[in-house]
Amino acid sequence: MKREKLEALRARVSCEALLEQAGYELDLRESTRRAVKYRHGGSIIIVTHDGRGWFDPLSDEKGDVFGLAMFLEKTAFPAAAAAVAALVGFQLSRPKWRPARSAVSDEAIADRWRCRRSPSPGSGAWRYLSWQRLIPPAIIRQAIRENVLQEGPFGSMWAAHVDSHGRVVGWEERGPEWRGFSTRGSKLLFRLGPSDANRICVTEAAIDAMSLAALECSREGTLYLSTGGGWSPATDAALCELALRPGLTLVAATDGNSQGDIYAARLRALAEASGCDWQRLRPPADDWNEVLKNRER
């Protein structure tokens, strides 16, 4: 199935339609505008992003409508795409909620980023990355040079998500006791490496992208990416744009678990639709930071 058709299906079929068709029931009492809860026996699925995203609160499973179809039917991507296509025009049994969003300009997000200082040896973010995550100083300095790493509050670090023009649109927030994403920021892609790379490694977290860069000694011609643990329509569009480069190899360096394999299958479908080479680089542990820490220990 061509990328254009997949994009059209993703826009036209809600995750809620799949859940209703699969026999899940809406839990109105415990639902909000931003998170709509569905139940089926002991299973729970939370629908987010106005019906375009979902996650299982009882496991690490999450994704978009295609990932949900794969999760519900325990099937591969082609069959999941066919199941989604069969629901075009499906009418929900209730009107969909529309999340009320506060308008925040891109410039306001960029200003918040610029107000933070860069990590330095001995700072909270530096200690967290170097001591707890065992990211080598050379990789930390590379991220600082490329303006994708800032000092967050309470010993945390901020890892920027940027668009194709290098503009900061949001950031991953990680610290000793904190994990989140910038308030009202946009998940797009964390990027570490040359913008004209002919090899692109896609991970699920900025720390994993930095860890893989460390393990590969920042391999020449490689751009290390993070989706920030999600897969927004903007992320998908950005990956599709990158995958159109001539001679590109797209590497699915997602986590070494079932969710990582689902993301890898999605990346393979994207690569095949774009005509670029594809490779699965599966970490021998749960994620690349664990691999890096195991090596350093």
Side-chain angles (χ1 to χ4, degrees):
M1 190 176 292
K2 293 185 177 180
R3 175 167 58 87
E4 293 80 5
K5 188 170 183 179
L6 291 174
E7 287 301 311
L9 287 176
R10 185 179 286 110
R12 295 177 66 186
V13 180
S14 166
C15 291
E16 294 185 65
L18 275 175
L19 291 169
E20 280 201 19
Q21 195 267 346
Y24 280 71
E25 296 183 354
L26 172 68
D27 187 338
L28 187 59
R29 183 186 295 265
E30 297 190 18
S31 294
T32 68
R33 282 172 162 264
R34 295 180 180 273
V36 186
K37 179 179 283 190
Y38 279 85
R39 294 180 180 273
H40 183 59
S43 299
I44 297 174
I45 297 293
I46 308 296
V47 177
T48 59
H49 301 299
D50 197 22
R52 303 303 165 210
W54 65 278
F55 67 90
D56 176 2
L58 305 179
S59 73
D60 294 328
E61 303 288 349
K62 56 188 175 182
D64 66 359
V65 67
F66 297 114
L68 181 58
M70 295 170 71
F71 175 72
L72 294 175
E73 302 295 332
K74 311 298 181 190
T75 189
F77 186 85
V84 172
L87 289 176
V88 171
F90 181 90
Q91 296 297 315
L92 296 176
S93 61
R94 63 162 186 82
K96 290 188 292 184
W97 280 317
R98 299 292 179 183
R101 297 184 179 180
S102 300
V104 178
S105 69
D106 292 341
E107 188 59 33
I109 293 291
D111 282 343
R112 287 173 56 200
W113 174 263
R114 285 192 291 265
C115 285
R116 307 302 302 188
R117 63 185 178 89
S118 298
S120 58
S123 71
W126 190 288
R127 290 197 305 270
Y128 170 68
L129 289 170
S130 182
W131 298 359
Q132 294 193 31
R133 295 295 191 153
L134 303 188
I135 305 294
I139 298 298
I140 299 175
R141 292 191 177 97
Q142 178 185 350
I144 293 170
R145 285 196 308 271
E146 295 179 13
N147 192 33
V148 292
L149 190 63
Q150 295 283 59
E151 191 85 21
F154 307 112
S156 67
M157 69 91 192
W158 287 4
H161 278 222
V162 299
D163 62 17
S164 58
H165 301 289
R167 294 177 294 215
V168 176
V169 297
W171 51 84
E172 296 175 43
E173 302 174 350
R174 297 290 186 274
E177 299 180 0
W178 172 247
R179 172 176 178 164
F181 198 82
S182 54
T183 303
R184 298 192 180 94
S186 301
K187 279 190 179 182
L188 193 55
L189 288 171
F190 169 83
R191 307 175 191 231
L192 181 70
S195 58
D196 60 349
N198 56 19
R199 178 176 179 263
I200 294 177
C201 295
V202 183
T203 70
E204 297 179 49
I207 286 175
D208 287 322
M210 288 187 279
S211 298
L212 182 57
L215 290 162
E216 294 190 335
C217 299
S218 290
R219 179 170 163 177
E220 185 177 358
T222 296
L223 176 63
Y224 299 93
L225 304 179
S226 162
T227 63
W231 198 288
S232 70
T235 297
D236 194 78
L239 288 170
C240 288
E241 180 181 351
L242 291 170
L244 293 175
R245 293 180 181 178
L248 181 77
T249 297
L250 184 64
V251 180
T254 48
D255 291 353
N257 53 35
S258 59
Q259 182 62 57
D261 290 339
I262 290 173
Y263 282 144
R266 190 177 303 167
L267 285 165
R268 180 173 186 172
L270 188 154
E272 291 175 347
S274 303
C276 70
D277 291 335
W278 178 86
Q279 179 186 0
R280 173 60 164 137
L281 191 61
R282 199 176 199 270
D286 191 57
D287 57 44
W288 291 110
N289 189 240
E290 285 299 318
V291 176
L292 177 65
K293 289 191 289 188
N294 289 340
R295 187 189 74 171
E296 295 303 313
R297 287 168 183 154

